[in-house]
Amino acid sequence: FEYIIKKMKTIILFQIITFIFAITLSDKVRREERQITDQKMIEKFLDEQSIIRIGYYDKENDEVYIVPLNFGYMIKDQQYTFYMHGAKKGRRYELAKNKPNVGFEIDGNYELISGGDIACKHSAKYQSVIGNGILELLNDTEEKKFALNIIMEHTTGRSGFEYNPKMLENVGVYKLTATKLTCKAANL
């Protein structure tokens, strides 16, 4: 019996160490020389992009559902928050109702680097932001206006838009609070 308890303690200790190790590495990329940690560089990249891809886990169908969306974002106290909008119906809306954990991705600055006639010598220039976060639907009218203003300013470069109350009521506005975010670039 003591042998079993000792073995269980060892297994539990191993699981705890593995968990701590995983947390420690969670904000790192495999190729550390490609990681961008400078917030100004990340912001510049995000400012130049127009599409974010959100990955939901659809438990009912046991599959990942990825949706490309226009977005706006803000950073406060090094916390990245992304905003998107869409119809208040459909698969994306139904999946968002439960405040799910989601994955997200933004990429850009892609350019093929030719390797001539040798396939494995080809490469690419690119930059990307990948992360996880909590997605929630906004219901408060003022929160929706705030979020839509951020989206509109990001996509049009302008602010000061007006919103029809009926349209505000009928639009789904999504807030994604990033819990993890990494940025990397290759050959830039």
Side-chain angles (χ1 to χ4, degrees):
F1 185 72
E2 287 180 6
Y3 172 76
I4 293 171
I5 291 176
K6 185 177 180 183
K7 195 72 167 167
M8 288 177 65
K9 284 181 180 178
T10 304
I11 291 169
I12 291 170
L13 181 60
F14 177 76
Q15 288 175 334
I16 291 170
I17 290 169
T18 304
F19 178 72
I20 290 169
F21 185 71
I23 290 172
T24 305
L25 294 179
S26 67
D27 291 335
K28 297 190 183 237
V29 296
R30 182 179 58 84
R31 302 271 307 263
E32 287 187 24
E33 74 276 9
R34 293 183 177 179
Q35 185 167 6
I36 297 172
T37 57
D38 181 280
Q39 188 167 331
K40 294 287 183 206
M41 290 178 70
I42 296 170
E43 284 180 52
K44 182 181 182 311
F45 170 70
L46 291 174
D47 288 343
E48 295 168 350
Q49 306 312 309
S50 58
I51 302 294
I52 186 171
R53 290 168 187 83
I54 307 294
Y56 299 83
Y57 175 64
D58 183 343
K59 190 174 182 177
E60 183 178 319
N61 295 305
D62 193 30
E63 62 187 17
V64 174
Y65 179 61
I66 300 172
V67 182
L69 300 159
N70 290 320
F71 74 97
Y73 77 99
M74 63 177 283
I75 305 169
K76 184 176 181 183
D77 300 326
Q78 297 185 343
Q79 173 64 60
Y80 287 82
T81 305
F82 297 89
Y83 297 96
M84 296 76 58
H85 70 89
K88 286 178 87 172
K89 57 184 170 183
R91 187 175 184 188
R92 171 186 50 183
Y93 181 74
E94 293 303 316
L95 291 170
K97 282 182 179 180
N98 296 322
K99 199 174 179 184
N101 289 311
V102 297
F104 64 91
E105 186 272 349
I106 301 166
D107 61 80
N109 301 328
Y110 179 83
E111 182 183 322
L112 179 67
I113 299 171
S114 177
D117 292 334
I118 302 171
C120 293
K121 294 232 179 211
H122 281 68
S123 187
K125 292 181 181 181
Y126 69 89
Q127 192 168 350
S128 65
V129 166
I130 296 175
N132 299 92
I134 308 293
L135 188 77
E136 61 184 295
L137 286 164
L138 300 179
N139 294 310
D140 179 76
T141 301
E142 292 307 311
E143 282 184 302
K144 281 182 163 185
K145 284 181 187 178
F146 177 79
L148 290 168
N149 280 330
I150 289 173
I151 296 167
M152 293 304 294
E153 189 167 347
H154 181 79
T155 57
T156 69
R158 296 181 24 228
S159 59
F161 289 90
E162 295 179 18
Y163 300 97
N164 175 304
K166 184 77 172 158
M167 291 177 100
L168 270 176
E169 183 182 321
N170 292 326
V171 70
V173 180
Y174 306 84
K175 176 182 177 181
L176 170 56
T177 304
T179 55
K180 182 169 81 169
L181 182 143
T182 58
C183 181
K184 71 177 188 175
N187 302 311
L188 292 181

